[in-house]
Amino acid sequence: DSGVTQTPKHLITATGQRVTLRCSPRSGDLSVYWYQQSLDQGLQFLIQYYNGEERAKGNILERFSAQQFPDLHSELNLSSLELGDSALYFCASSTRTGSSYEQYFGPGTRLTVT
Amino acid sequence: AQTVTQSQPEMSVQEAETVTLSCTYDTSESNYYLFWYKQPPSRQMILVIRQEAYKQQNATENRFSVNFQKAAKSFSLKISDSQLGDTAMYFCAFHSGTYKYIFGTGTRLKVLA
């Protein structure tokens, strides 16, 4: 168990709908990252937050948005869903441990758009 | 821009044998961190091993070790005494201490009984 939690585990919805994915980082971690992994693909970095502020953006569509709340949990909002948005969405949190950065992943939310 | 390349899409190894997965990267940074993550069929991403670039000594975690060649920008993962539970997708990742982690495309490893 990495200590990062994600809800829900599975989500099935229809095209055109909007969904919200939730992530709680490990205790003490200030950074949250969101990734998208389509079937048999690598990880696509979407966005990073640090202590409530957006720090980096990757290949995130305009239909997607995210935020990090004062209690450090984060939400990823996906709207106007398309079939191609079906994927595994990971949240990860990181901290600086000694002189190293380590990133720990949640179990993922599997989104199926029908 | 930093890049990470894993040139072996798939590999297989006999149980109890040793296998090496390759990873090369490109960066102009002098200090950075490298990681190997394992993704078994459960799809959970698991940190296997990490290496700080300023450390010359190669990292080791039980049966997993790395061969870090900073000048060549190479970071290979060696798995000794391979076990069936090592069957997974393995991702190499780079982090320079700024914001993003850069992941390679992965190597699918199958351990054969």
Side-chain angles (χ1 to χ4, degrees):
Chain A
D1 184 358
S2 67
V4 179
T5 60
Q6 288 186 250
T7 56
K9 286 187 178 179
H10 301 278
L11 198 50
I12 301 174
T13 189
T15 54
Q17 295 298 303
R18 171 189 170 95
V19 297
T20 297
L21 312 184
R22 182 187 170 105
C23 167
S24 293
R26 295 191 322 156
S27 177
D29 286 359
L30 301 178
S31 281
V32 169
Y33 302 76
W34 286 98
Y35 295 88
Q36 179 192 57
Q37 186 180 35
S38 301
L39 189 64
D40 291 333
Q41 298 293 311
L43 289 165
Q44 293 295 319
F45 168 71
L46 296 177
I47 198 164
Q48 183 216 354
Y49 280 84
Y50 178 84
N51 202 21
E53 293 187 3
E54 181 185 304
R55 278 295 180 92
K57 256 186 175 179
N59 300 321
I60 187 166
L61 300 171
E62 286 190 9
R63 301 183 286 109
F64 296 1
S65 65
Q67 54 184 325
Q68 186 179 28
F69 294 87
D71 67 352
L72 300 178
H73 91 271
S74 178
E75 293 181 355
L76 178 67
N77 300 296
L78 315 176
S79 61
S80 302
L81 286 168
E82 301 175 359
L83 294 177
D85 297 327
S86 294
L88 190 56
Y89 291 84
F90 284 108
C91 166
S93 71
S94 76
T95 190
R96 183 165 183 160
T97 304
S99 60
S100 172
Y101 292 85
E102 296 183 357
Q103 191 175 69
Y104 292 89
F105 284 79
T109 292
R110 184 177 299 280
L111 174 65
T112 302
V113 182
T114 61
Chain B
Q2 292 91 349
T3 59
V4 175
T5 302
Q6 294 180 250
S7 58
Q8 306 152 314
E10 292 188 3
M11 296 188 71
S12 62
V13 62
Q14 288 293 136
E15 198 174 6
E17 296 294 308
T18 295
V19 64
T20 298
L21 310 183
S22 300
C23 173
T24 58
Y25 58 94
D26 190 23
T27 184
S28 57
E29 304 275 352
S30 59
N31 193 28
Y32 48 87
Y33 310 90
L34 296 162
F35 307 88
W36 279 98
Y37 284 87
K38 167 184 177 180
Q39 188 178 41
S42 66
R43 306 296 295 275
Q44 172 74 50
M45 292 286 288
I46 303 165
L47 177 64
V48 175
I49 199 166
R50 72 173 189 272
Q51 174 82 42
E52 293 92 335
Y54 68 88
K55 289 187 177 179
Q56 293 188 342
Q57 185 173 8
N58 290 323
T60 298
E61 290 287 342
N62 300 313
R63 298 182 295 105
F64 298 87
S65 62
V66 298
N67 183 5
F68 174 48
Q69 302 288 328
K70 191 172 184 179
K73 296 180 182 174
S74 171
F75 182 61
S76 60
L77 174 70
K78 184 171 84 171
I79 306 174
S80 304
D81 186 26
S82 296
Q83 300 175 359
L84 295 178
D86 296 333
T87 292
M89 194 78 160
Y90 287 82
F91 292 97
C92 177
F94 169 99
H95 182 58
S96 65
T98 51
Y99 308 131
K100 291 195 300 184
Y101 285 74
I102 309 296
F103 283 81
T105 52
T107 295
R108 187 179 303 279
L109 176 68
K110 188 169 185 179
V111 180
L112 306 172

